[in-house]
Amino acid sequence: MYLTGGWGYWAGVTPVAQKLALSTFVGQKIPSLPQPCGSDCTYSVMVPSFAFRCQEGVELPASMQPNSSEEPFWNATELRGLSVAPATSFYVYWKSSQASGTNGTALCNVGTAKYNFTVQTTNGQQVVAYNVTQTGDLVNTRQTATGFSTEEWEMALQLSSIATAAQSLLMGIISIHHGASSSTPEYDSSITSAAFFDPSLNSGSAFTWGDVPRGIEQLSHNISAAILTMDLGVEGSSCFVTKQDIIYQYDRLSLWLPYGVRVFNLGLFRF
C-alpha cells in the first residue's frame, strides 16, 4: 500500500493504492462490497480512513492565475511543504462553458476520519449507508516515527498513501489555449472521469460541472468504502451481523472483512 525510505518514513504510493483509488473514481460510486454473512444479511463495520472537506468561494493564490492566452476550465493545485506527505490542502477552480453548469473555487483539506458503514443485502440488491466523523489531521509521515507506536505509524503510512492516490486523480489543469489562428483544448488531468463532470455535451471544448465540492468529498467516502473489498486477512476483528433476526459476532477465524474494524492492526495493508 505504501513505499518507505531507509528510516521508515513515507516515500510513495504503491500500485495497489493507485488501483483502489482509480477504480472507485472511474466507477463513480461505492463498489459492490463483500457479503461475509451470506446473500441476505446486514452487517456494520467501522473503517478508519481519510476524508476531503471543501470550503467554497475562496480566493485563489497568485500562482493559479492563468496567462492571457489560456482559458482554464479546471485547475487543482496542491499546497505541499517540503517535509509534509501527503499534501494536506489543495485549491480547486472550475468553470462551465454551459449555463446549466456550475462555476467556483474551493479550498479542500485532507484529514483523518472514522466511517461507520452498514451494508444491507436483500435478494441480491445491496444498500450501503454510512456516517463519517472527522477525527483530525494526517500525520506528517515524511519523518521518522518518533513518538508513535508501530501500529500507529503503520496506520499513518497507509492513510498517507490512500489520500495521496485519491488526490492525484483530481490534480491538474484543463484549459483552452487561444492561439493566433485557432483554439486548442489542453488536458492535463483525469478529472473528466469524475462523477460531477457531465460528458454529454463535451466536444473537447465544452465543459459542464456539477456540485464539485460535494463530489470531491464524496470521492473520499467512496474510496473509504472500497477499502472493504480488499481481502487482507484482518486478525482480531469483530463485526456485528444481522441475519434472520440472529446477531453474530465473528471472531478472527471467521471474519475476513479487511481494514478498519480494528483501528490499529499490526501488519495491515503490508504488501
Side-chain angles (χ1 to χ4, degrees):
M1 186 63 70
Y2 56 83
L3 302 174
T4 57
W7 296 96
Y9 53 82
W10 186 86
V13 179
T14 66
V16 174
Q18 292 173 332
K19 182 178 180 181
L20 174 70
L22 180 59
S23 61
T24 307
F25 180 63
V26 173
Q28 302 185 355
K29 63 181 181 180
I30 294 176
S32 180
L33 299 180
Q35 301 173 196
C37 50
S39 58
D40 291 285
C41 71
T42 300
Y43 66 89
S44 297
V45 62
M46 189 276 287
V47 177
S49 186
F50 77 103
F52 296 138
R53 179 184 293 175
C54 299
Q55 176 186 353
E56 299 181 60
V58 300
E59 183 178 352
L60 298 177
S63 59
M64 292 183 66
Q65 300 302 320
N67 59 48
S68 58
S69 64
E70 297 292 330
E71 182 182 6
F73 289 88
W74 177 269
N75 189 350
T77 301
E78 295 177 341
L79 297 180
R80 183 187 296 275
L82 294 177
S83 62
V84 178
T88 56
S89 299
F90 56 93
Y91 282 99
V92 179
Y93 166 87
W94 70 97
K95 183 176 76 169
S96 294
S97 58
Q98 308 295 321
S100 59
T102 65
N103 309 284
T105 62
L107 174 61
C108 299
N109 296 305
V110 191
T112 57
K114 180 178 72 174
Y115 293 82
N116 289 294
F117 290 104
T118 298
V119 183
Q120 180 179 12
T121 305
T122 306
N123 296 326
Q125 300 297 312
Q126 189 173 89
V127 177
V128 180
Y130 67 91
N131 61 66
V132 56
T133 303
Q134 304 281 337
T135 56
D137 300 324
L138 289 177
V139 173
N140 178 8
T141 50
R142 186 74 77 177
Q143 61 181 6
T144 55
T146 304
F148 296 91
S149 68
T150 301
E151 294 87 349
E152 290 171 334
W153 190 246
E154 183 98 4
M155 178 63 70
L157 293 170
Q158 292 155 13
L159 294 187
S160 288
S161 281
I162 297 170
T164 299
Q167 285 177 233
S168 68
L169 300 170
L170 305 170
M171 297 301 104
I173 299 174
I174 294 177
S175 64
I176 294 180
H177 177 77
H178 298 288
S181 58
S182 64
S183 296
T184 306
E186 297 183 353
Y187 290 80
D188 185 24
S189 176
S190 58
I191 195 63
T192 52
S193 294
F196 48 82
F197 175 73
D198 181 4
S200 62
L201 299 175
N202 186 25
S203 60
S205 59
F207 304 92
T208 305
W209 304 100
D211 190 342
V212 171
R214 302 295 79 76
I216 291 174
E217 293 172 351
Q218 186 64 51
L219 174 63
S220 63
H221 303 170
N222 291 352
I223 292 175
S224 296
I227 290 169
L228 291 170
T229 64
M230 304 179 69
D231 182 5
L232 301 173
V234 175
E235 298 180 356
S237 302
S238 62
C239 176
F240 292 96
V241 180
T242 301
K243 182 179 182 182
Q244 297 178 350
D245 297 325
I246 300 175
I247 295 179
Y248 298 91
Q249 181 172 4
Y250 284 74
D251 58 28
R252 58 178 290 179
L253 297 178
S254 59
L255 179 66
W256 56 274
L257 282 177
Y259 185 75
V261 239
R262 180 168 177 245
V263 176
F264 300 123
N265 183 16
L266 180 60
L268 183 63
F269 281 117
R270 183 163 294 171
F271 291 89

